[in-house]
Amino acid sequence: MDCEPEELQFLSILGIYRESAKLIHSWRSLFARIAVSLILPLSLLFLLHIQISYYLFNSIDSDDSALDRAAPDSAAEHRILQRLASDWMKLMIFKGVYLVALLVLALLSTAAAVYTVASIYSSKELSFSRVLSVVPKVWRRLMVTFVAAFVLLFGYNTLAISGLVLVLLLLDGTVVAAPVAVLFAFFYLAGLIYISIIWHLASVVSVLEDSKGFEAMRKSRLLIKGKIWTVAGIFTLLNFGFVTVEVTFRELVVKGAGMVPATRVFYGFVISVLMCAFVLFALVVQTVVYFVCKSYHHESIDKSNLSDHLEVYLGEYVPLKAKDVQLEQFHV
């Protein structure tokens, strides 16, 4: 990193983006290999999922329309119902396989990016083979944190939906029903963004510290105190970028109205590369944000201890312990 640890706290949103871009550029050969081996398959899987889901849903919609026109209890109706059942089964199986594959690739990519950035920060000897040897041991910790985040999101959404239904039932027919629903939706989205931020930072905590699961999320929540608006701005802009790429892919490649197949293939290739680069950048950014938050709270990760704990000792990954994360206090 170009900045000294105590200077990271002063980085703005653009400063964090710039620092992340410099890291990728300085180690472009290593990051390129990580991107091609892990992040590109993740990006292709995500985009392929959009394409296949579009065709499956189109088939279901077509069968639904045909069912409406079919005579009741006719042979045609039975055939259409069988096709619908088959289409829905294919969709469910596809979604299940996709989510498992996406989770595995996402966790492996996150582990590789976080480990790489931390190793660069600690001035540790680094190579692509070393990263690959550590990643399988690190991703198990990320899995525990993912499960904790999933449980939290499930509980949050359950409470939000229940609360919204209750409010609408109590205010049904009143003039304040619509404004209250809009206000409720605003606070719901704000809470969703907050949980998402905690989850992303908890992933870094799970790799670099001895915490995982709910404990990692608790530490993540404490880390963003005082930097919440900066961190929220960073992840909001990144999510906006993801949505933009996804919408562009849907319009130019999946639908591709009026385009010849060759043009759609070309756009698909360009967007796949763009998505891969964007995911890599986002993973590096979330790791840099971790160090920025540590610096803001005047906590320094001692580089020698960080390097020691990033080693694979007797084939086991050793996470950084909490006592090593706060070895030094910077006084401004």
Side-chain angles (χ1 to χ4, degrees), residues 6-318:
E6 61 270 25
E7 297 175 352
L8 288 172
Q9 61 179 303
F10 303 113
L11 290 179
S12 63
I13 293 177
L14 290 179
I16 291 173
Y17 285 158
R18 190 180 301 114
E19 186 72 17
S20 302
K22 287 179 179 178
L23 277 174
I24 296 174
H25 182 264
S26 299
W27 290 80
R28 52 189 175 276
S29 177
L30 176 59
F31 279 115
R33 297 180 71 179
I34 292 174
V36 171
S37 61
L38 294 173
I39 300 177
L40 182 59
L42 173 64
S43 303
L44 291 174
L45 177 66
F46 175 72
L47 297 175
L48 186 63
H49 156 260
I50 296 174
Q51 181 78 63
I52 295 176
S53 295
Y54 178 80
Y55 285 131
L56 288 176
F57 277 119
N58 271 353
S59 177
I60 291 173
D61 288 340
S62 176
D63 288 338
D64 276 335
S65 299
L67 185 62
D68 292 336
R69 297 190 299 269
D73 295 325
S74 64
E77 183 186 52
H78 289 300
R79 286 196 301 271
I80 295 171
L81 287 173
Q82 289 178 348
R83 286 205 307 269
L84 271 173
S86 176
D87 288 342
W88 277 109
M89 180 63 67
K90 291 176 184 177
L91 182 63
M92 293 301 103
I93 293 174
F94 170 69
K95 290 286 186 179
V97 173
Y98 162 73
L99 289 175
V100 171
L102 183 74
L103 175 61
V104 172
L105 286 173
L107 294 181
L108 291 175
S109 299
T110 300
V114 173
Y115 175 82
T116 301
V117 174
S119 297
I120 294 171
Y121 176 75
S122 65
S123 303
K124 175 178 165 50
E125 181 184 349
L126 194 58
S127 66
F128 181 64
S129 59
R130 183 185 291 269
V131 172
L132 289 186
S133 68
V134 172
V135 164
K137 301 176 179 64
V138 178
W139 83 277
R140 299 188 193 101
R141 301 176 59 81
L142 288 170
M143 174 63 80
V144 175
T145 302
F146 168 80
V147 172
F150 177 82
V151 171
L152 181 61
L153 283 170
F154 181 81
Y156 176 77
N157 285 319
T158 301
L159 288 174
I161 293 173
S162 301
L164 179 60
V165 171
L166 179 61
V167 168
L168 292 179
L169 287 175
L170 292 175
L171 300 178
D172 186 34
T174 64
V175 294
V176 297
V180 169
V182 171
L183 188 63
F184 191 95
F186 172 79
F187 282 108
Y188 167 76
L189 290 175
L192 201 62
I193 293 172
Y194 182 69
I195 294 175
S196 177
I197 291 170
I198 292 176
W199 176 15
H200 284 294
L201 203 55
S203 297
V204 183
V205 172
S206 299
V207 175
L208 300 183
E209 301 187 24
D210 61 344
S211 301
K212 56 186 177 182
F214 287 109
E215 178 62 20
M217 297 188 73
R218 185 188 69 82
K219 287 191 173 183
S220 173
R221 181 177 61 83
L222 295 175
L223 274 176
I224 63 176
K225 283 187 175 180
K227 299 291 288 185
I228 180 61
W229 293 112
T230 299
V231 177
I234 287 170
F235 285 106
T236 299
L237 288 174
L238 288 176
N239 285 328
F240 178 77
F242 278 121
V243 171
T244 300
V245 174
E246 179 182 349
V247 171
T248 302
F249 180 79
R250 288 181 185 276
E251 294 301 319
L252 296 182
V253 180
V254 177
K255 297 178 181 178
M259 295 185 186
V260 298
T263 303
R264 294 169 66 184
V265 169
F266 172 75
Y267 280 130
F269 171 77
V270 172
I271 294 173
S272 297
V273 173
L274 180 61
M275 176 64 82
C276 178
F278 202 80
V279 171
L280 173 64
F281 180 71
L283 291 175
V284 173
V285 165
Q286 75 178 27
T287 311
V288 173
V289 166
Y290 167 83
F291 288 111
V292 169
C293 291
K294 280 291 182 183
S295 177
Y296 176 80
H297 290 286
H298 309 303
E299 298 174 6
S300 170
I301 298 180
D302 183 86
K303 293 187 178 183
S304 60
N305 279 279
L306 176 59
S307 179
D308 290 341
H309 285 281
L310 289 174
E311 289 289 348
V312 180
Y313 181 67
L314 296 178
E316 293 295 330
Y317 171 75
V318 183

